[in-house]
Every structure is written in C-alpha cells, then in structure tokens.
Amino acid sequence: MDKLSSYLSLDLIKLHLNANTKEEMLKEMALLVKDKVTNFDKFYEALLDRESAGSTAMENGLCIPHTRNSYVKEFCIAVGTKEEGIDCSSIDGKKSTVFFLIISNDKTKLEHLDALVKISRVVNDEIATMVLSSTKSKEGFIELIKKLELRWQFYCHFF
C-alpha cells in the first residue's frame, strides 16, 4: 500500500480551520471534498451519523473523522488544522488540533483501512500533532508527514 503522504494533496488541505465546534469542523472538512461526492447532503448526513456512533477523536490532538458510503466517488483524505484546538470528545479529554477526514466507498474500503492505520501510526504523539497544527504551509505539512513516516520506518526497523 501507499505511504500516507502519497494520499495527501494540496487542494485538500486547509490550515487554520475557522471552525470552533466539532460540528463546524465536520462541515468545513466535508466542504473540502465536495467535488468527490455525488450527493453532498446525503454524504454529509452519513458522516454525521458515523460521528454520532462514536467520536473519532483519538489522543494527543488527533481526530480522524471518516465515512464509507455510496455517495463517495473516489477515496481521498482531507486535512485540517486548528492550533487552538476543538473539543471533539477525545479519548484523553484534550482538544483536537489535527484532523484527517477519510472518505471512501465499497470499492476503496482497503485504502480506507490502510489510511486509518497509517495515520494512527505516523501521527501518534503530542509532539507530532503540535508541530503539524502549527505548520504555516500546505507543502510544509506534507513534508512533515514524510519526515514522520521516516521516523516510523526507522522505529519499525529496529524494534
């Protein structure tokens, strides 16, 4: 499977989200992928349903909202950051600062699962989310992800 960085594209990254609530974040992130779905309202409803089933906010500032449904034309990942953080009901009770929205359909469910695993491995600590959330450019964000991937590969090689 591909590296996490290969799934990212500049046009699907929004640094410094305007959102202040989880619902606003989900809407802002969903609008990033509007061209990748056939019916935005139904897609967004499915995204909200998934989030209401259980928060996708992890630990250390990482949040990975995701949905797999028939309204998605193609697999993609959108990224958002909010240095001040948004309360997304995370496992550790901290605000989320880095958001990866994963969308897929039944044909791309393996990419979806692969992306979930890669994000949770590569962006796995508070320092990573702190640096990513304060990044000033989209290109810089992707470069940081590439460096975090190298760190993960190095770690796996020795342990």
Side-chain angles (χ1 to χ4, degrees):
M1 297 274 178
D2 293 328
K3 291 183 174 187
L4 172 59
S5 57
S6 69
Y7 290 140
L8 303 180
S9 65
L10 296 175
D11 61 323
L12 295 178
I13 296 175
K14 179 150 188 204
L15 304 177
H16 317 294
L17 293 170
N18 296 315
N20 292 307
T21 66
K22 178 166 59 170
E23 292 75 22
E24 290 172 353
M25 175 274 295
L26 290 170
K27 183 71 161 202
E28 197 169 349
M29 296 291 293
L31 287 170
L32 288 174
V33 298
K34 190 173 185 174
D35 294 343
K36 309 287 185 188
V37 300
T38 57
N39 182 322
F40 181 78
D41 293 333
K42 297 270 186 189
F43 158 77
Y44 183 62
E45 183 180 322
L47 178 63
L48 292 177
D49 287 346
R50 166 58 193 92
E51 191 64 30
S52 68
S55 178
T56 55
M58 311 300 279
E59 298 175 307
N60 301 316
L62 178 62
C63 186
I64 315 173
H66 56 277
T67 185
R68 180 170 48 101
N69 62 64
S70 61
Y71 305 108
V72 174
K73 292 189 276 188
E74 62 185 84
F75 165 83
C76 71
I77 299 174
V79 174
T81 64
K82 176 86 171 188
E83 198 169 1
E84 308 82 39
I86 298 170
D87 182 3
C88 294
S89 305
S90 67
I91 295 169
D92 60 5
K94 296 179 180 177
K95 290 183 176 183
S96 300
T97 57
V98 178
F99 308 88
F100 288 87
L101 170 63
I102 303 171
I103 67 167
S104 64
N105 55 39
D106 283 339
K107 293 179 184 174
T108 58
K109 61 185 171 189
L110 292 178
E111 288 92 341
H112 183 119
L113 293 172
D114 184 53
L116 279 169
V117 169
K118 286 188 167 116
I119 293 166
S120 62
R121 284 183 181 164
V122 171
V123 187
N124 63 353
D125 61 54
E126 200 166 7
I127 293 171
T129 55
M130 183 182 69
V131 171
L132 288 168
S133 70
S134 63
T135 301
K136 304 295 183 219
S137 74
K138 296 176 182 186
E139 296 85 358
F141 187 96
I142 292 174
E143 286 306 310
L144 284 168
I145 290 293
K146 288 178 181 178
K147 288 178 180 173
L148 291 168
E149 288 171 326
L150 288 173
R151 179 182 72 166
W152 175 252
Q153 289 172 340
F154 178 80
Y155 178 80
C156 288
H157 179 74
F158 287 101
F159 299 100

